[in-house]
Amino acid sequence: MKFKSYMVLFLFLISLTSVQGIEEETNVANIEIEQEPTVLDFRGMAYGPFRGVGPDKTEIVSRANLEEDMGILQQMGVNHIRSYGIGLGLNQIPFIAAQYNITTATGTWIHTGNPDNFGEIDTALTAEDVSSMIIVGNEVLTGGVGFNEAELVGFLDYAKNNRVDSNFPVATAEEWGFFAKQNPFNETEVVRTALGNATDVIIIHAHPAWHKVPVADAANWVLEKYNQVASLYPEKRIILGETGWPSSSVPENELFTEANQLTFFTDLMKLIDENDIEAYLFQAFDENWKQEIYEGEYAIGPHWGVIEEARYAKPAGVHIAENYFGGTVNSQAPDPIAPTVNSPSDIQVDVSATASISWTISDEDGVGGTYTVYKNNVVQGVANLSYTEGNAITWTVDTSAEGVFEYKIEFIDETGLSGNDTVVVTVGSPTDTNSAVSSENSELSDASSAVSSIVEESNFIGFILPFATFIVYRLKKHN
C-alpha cells in the first residue's frame, strides 16, 4: 500500500510539472510580437507646396522648394501624389515629381472665379505623359464654388475629348456623399449619381473630423464610406482621395492633437493594408495659410500635415513612413533662425517734404510674426502689426516739425526670436540747413585761428627757453 501511495504521489507531481510546462508554453505563445512593417504598393499623399501667404495672395511656388519636397517624399517612400491646380508654379509639379520616381494625379482648380477653367484643363493635359490621371476640380460641389453637377460633368467631358490617349483617366474629387446620395423616395436606399457615371476613376474624400466622429471610431467610419461608394460602382476604380486628422488647433481643442492624429493613422493604415485600398493621405505638409474653422471657433486648417511646414515629421508621419511606406523621414526640428532686416540709410529731409522708410524682414523659417514702429521711443500707429517674410514694410516719415528723430522697428517671429533697426531722420528747411553749415564753418575758422595763435606762442617759448635756462645756470655757478 505504501508503494502504491508513493507511486500515486509521484505521478501526481509529474502531472503538476506537465501542467505547469503547458501553462508556461501558453504564456510564451500569448506574448504579443510586434508586427513586421509592410510596404504598400500604392503609397499616396495629397500634396500642397505653399509655405508662405498661399495662393489667395498669389504666392509663386519655386522650383527649389518643389525639388526639396520631392526629395523628402521620395525618402519617405511616397510613390504617388495628387496636386490641386496648375497656376502659380503648380504646373511644374508632375514634371519634377517624375524625376524622383513619383507619379502625379495632376489636379485642376475649377472655380467660377477662374477666368479660364478650360485653359486650366488644357495646361494640365500637357503633363499627360508624366501623370497617372487628371483630376478635374476639387470639391467643386462640396465647396459650393458656383457650378452644379451638370456643369462639372461638362468639364469632365471636355477633358475626355481633349486628352491625347483615350485611356488616360479623367476624374474629379468630391466628398463621398456626392457619389452615393440617398434616393429621395427611399431614404434608406443609396443610389449612383450622374457624377459617378461620368468619371473614369472615382476619388472620394472622407474626413471624420468634420463629421465629429470620435477618433477611436474614425478609421472604421472612413472604411464604411469607402465601401458604400465601392458597392455602387463595382466596375470602377475607387480611390480614397483625402482623409486625415488635424494635429492641432487655435485655440487648443482636445480632439486635435498629435496623439490623436497618430491614433487615426495607426488605425487607418492597418485598414488600408487589410482591404487593399488606394489612398492619398491628407496631407503631406502643413500649410499655414489655410484658415478652415471647426465649429466656428477652432482654426485647424494649417495643421493637417503629417510633416510640419518647417519640413520635419510629426509622429504620424514617422509611423506611416517606417511601417507602411518603406522609407524614413526626419523628425528632428531644426534650430530656429532669428529674423533679420535690411538697414536703410539715414534720411535728411526738408520740412513738409515727403519721405518714407522701407524695411524688409527676412525670416528663413518663413514663419512670419509681428512688428512695431517707434519714433523717439514712442509707438507710432498700431503696435504688433503682422508681417510676412520678404514683404516690404513702408513707413511714412512725419516731416511737419524740424528736429532729429529716431525711427525704430522692432519685430518678433512666431518662434520668439526678434530683431530691430533704427533710421535717423533729420527734418529741416534748406535755409536753416545752409545757415547751420555757415555757422559750423565760422566756428571752425575761429578755432583754427586760436590754434594758430597757440602754436605761435608755443614757438616763441620754445625759442627763449634755452637762453633762460643757460642764464640761470651761470648765476648759480657764480654765487
Side-chain angles (χ1 to χ4, degrees):
M1 293 292 294
K2 287 185 177 180
F3 175 75
K4 290 182 178 179
S5 299
Y6 291 142
M7 285 297 294
V8 170
L9 178 61
F10 177 70
L11 293 172
F12 175 70
L13 291 173
I14 290 176
S15 67
L16 286 178
T17 304
S18 300
V19 171
Q20 183 178 2
I22 293 171
E23 289 178 350
E24 288 178 355
E25 289 179 6
T26 303
N27 289 339
V28 171
N30 287 337
I31 294 175
E32 184 177 349
I33 300 174
E34 185 175 348
Q35 182 181 354
E36 288 294 322
T38 185
V39 180
L40 302 176
D41 292 332
F42 190 99
R43 303 181 297 277
M45 278 285 178
Y47 173 60
F50 295 104
R51 305 190 188 190
V53 298
D56 292 347
K57 295 185 178 179
T58 63
E59 174 189 350
I60 304 297
V61 179
S62 72
R63 183 181 182 87
N65 283 355
L66 292 176
E67 290 177 340
E68 180 188 8
D69 287 350
M70 292 306 113
I72 292 170
L73 295 178
Q74 182 187 51
Q75 182 181 354
M76 188 179 183
V78 173
N79 61 359
H80 289 273
I81 60 171
R82 59 168 298 195
S83 62
Y84 290 85
I86 54 90
L88 303 176
L90 300 181
N91 59 307
Q92 306 172 81
I93 292 175
F95 299 99
I96 295 175
Q99 297 172 14
Y100 292 82
N101 298 316
I102 298 172
T103 303
T104 305
T106 301
T108 58
W109 194 251
I110 304 301
H111 195 284
T112 52
N114 185 344
D116 190 9
N117 288 296
F118 293 109
E120 178 110 353
I121 294 171
D122 291 336
T123 303
L125 288 172
T126 63
E128 192 173 321
D129 289 344
V130 291
S131 301
S132 59
M133 68 184 73
I134 181 175
I135 302 177
V136 179
N138 181 71
E139 295 189 345
V140 172
L141 304 180
T142 306
V145 301
F147 292 123
N148 59 34
E149 184 180 60
E151 290 169 319
L152 179 53
V153 169
F155 287 117
L156 290 166
D157 290 340
Y158 178 84
K160 289 178 181 179
N161 292 333
N162 287 276
R163 59 189 170 184
V164 175
D165 182 354
S166 61
N167 293 317
F168 180 67
V170 173
T172 191
E174 291 288 348
E175 198 267 345
W176 66 275
F178 286 94
F179 296 102
K181 68 181 179 182
Q182 288 181 323
N183 183 339
F185 303 103
N186 180 358
E187 293 186 359
T188 63
E189 181 186 8
V190 178
V191 297
R192 294 167 65 115
T193 66
L195 184 62
N197 293 331
T199 60
D200 296 325
V201 179
I202 292 177
I203 302 177
I204 67 167
H205 296 176
H207 288 292
W210 288 121
H211 293 268
K212 302 180 176 62
V213 179
V215 69
D217 304 323
N220 283 320
W221 180 90
V222 173
L223 179 61
E224 175 189 332
K225 304 309 176 188
Y226 175 89
N227 286 337
Q228 191 173 41
V229 175
S231 67
L232 290 173
Y233 305 90
E235 78 287 0
K236 291 203 173 186
R237 180 183 174 192
I238 312 294
I239 298 179
L240 189 55
E242 282 189 12
T243 188
W245 195 273
S247 64
S248 183
S249 68
V250 179
E252 293 182 358
N253 184 311
E254 62 182 8
L255 287 175
F256 308 121
T257 63
E258 287 191 355
N260 280 352
Q261 186 185 57
L262 176 59
T263 295
F264 171 73
F265 278 111
T266 299
D267 295 342
L268 179 75
M269 298 310 295
K270 186 172 183 291
L271 294 178
I272 285 175
D273 185 23
E274 292 173 350
N275 293 274
D276 196 23
I277 295 173
E278 295 178 322
Y280 294 103
L281 306 179
F282 191 79
Q283 66 179 342
F285 301 100
D286 277 349
E287 293 186 275
N288 289 337
W289 66 272
K290 291 186 173 180
Q291 297 297 320
E292 293 99 333
I293 305 297
Y294 177 82
E295 288 191 334
E297 179 179 1
Y298 301 100
I300 60 175
H303 308 293
W304 289 89
V306 297
I307 301 174
E308 298 275 358
E309 190 167 85
R311 271 41 185 179
Y312 65 93
K314 304 174 189 178
V318 174
H319 174 75
I320 293 165
E322 294 182 353
N323 292 290
Y324 291 95
F325 282 11
T328 60
V329 63
N330 173 49
S331 60
Q332 183 64 42
D335 293 331
I337 301 173
T340 59
V341 69
N342 63 319
S343 297
S345 301
D346 293 339
I347 296 175
Q348 173 81 47
V349 62
D350 297 339
V351 174
S352 299
T354 301
S356 63
I357 305 168
S358 182
W359 284 294
T360 300
I361 300 172
S362 300
D363 194 332
E364 291 187 30
D365 294 333
V367 295
T370 60
Y371 72 92
T372 302
V373 175
Y374 301 85
K375 174 184 173 184
N376 291 353
N377 297 320
V378 177
V379 174
Q380 301 297 290
V382 179
N384 299 319
L385 295 169
S386 296
Y387 75 80
T388 301
E389 195 275 338
N391 284 5
I393 299 168
T394 302
W395 199 267
T396 302
V397 171
D398 179 8
T399 61
S400 61
E402 296 180 3
V404 179
F405 308 96
E406 288 189 350
Y407 280 81
K408 182 178 183 181
I409 185 171
E410 292 184 349
F411 47 91
I412 182 168
D413 71 12
E414 292 179 7
T415 67
L417 298 176
S418 60
N420 64 77
D421 181 68
T422 299
V423 175
V424 176
V425 178
T426 303
V427 181
S429 65
T431 302
D432 293 337
T433 302
N434 293 335
S435 298
V437 171
S438 298
S439 176
E440 288 180 1
N441 290 340
S442 176
E443 291 177 2
L444 181 61
S445 177
D446 293 344
S448 177
S449 299
V451 169
S452 298
S453 176
I454 292 172
V455 169
E456 291 175 359
E457 291 178 2
S458 297
N459 289 339
F460 175 75
I461 293 173
F463 174 79
I464 200 65
L465 184 60
F467 293 99
T469 302
F470 176 78
I471 292 171
V472 171
Y473 168 78
R474 294 295 297 170
L475 288 173
K476 284 184 177 182
K477 190 166 184 176
H478 184 270
N479 291 333

